[in-house]
Amino acid sequence: MTQQEIGSAIKERRKKLGVNQQTLADLAGVAVNTLVAIERGEGNPQLSTLLTILDTLGLQADINIKQLEYERM
């Protein structure tokens, strides 16, 4: 998912639950400016921040870690 898609999913879930940005920020323990930026797909939030917001909304992240193969020059 892109940052925009993650932000949109968070915003959509928040609105579905009838929670405003300030309330969600308070519940997740993040600054409202941070939440606003994430919902806009901006900035570079820490993974722990995203996971906390998702958990607060009852959402989960599916993270796949792949080993990248690099050719030696």
Side-chain angles (χ1 to χ4, degrees):
M1 291 183 93
T2 66
Q3 285 180 299
Q4 249 85 27
E5 291 170 328
I6 293 168
S8 292
I10 289 170
K11 184 176 183 177
E12 182 180 318
R13 177 68 172 172
R14 175 180 61 76
K15 287 186 170 194
K16 184 176 182 179
L17 294 173
V19 177
N20 65 34
Q21 289 174 322
Q22 184 63 60
T23 301
L24 176 55
D26 291 344
L27 291 170
V30 301
V32 71
N33 292 341
T34 300
L35 178 62
V36 169
I38 291 170
E39 286 189 355
R40 290 182 180 167
E42 300 171 351
N44 192 17
Q46 292 184 3
L47 180 58
S48 61
T49 301
L50 282 175
L51 293 176
T52 298
I53 293 168
L54 294 174
D55 185 55
T56 302
L57 292 169
L59 299 173
Q60 290 182 334
D62 182 13
I63 301 170
N64 294 311
I65 299 174
K66 297 179 185 179
Q67 181 176 352
L68 300 176
E69 299 291 328
Y70 293 99
E71 288 186 32
R72 295 182 181 223
M73 295 183 163

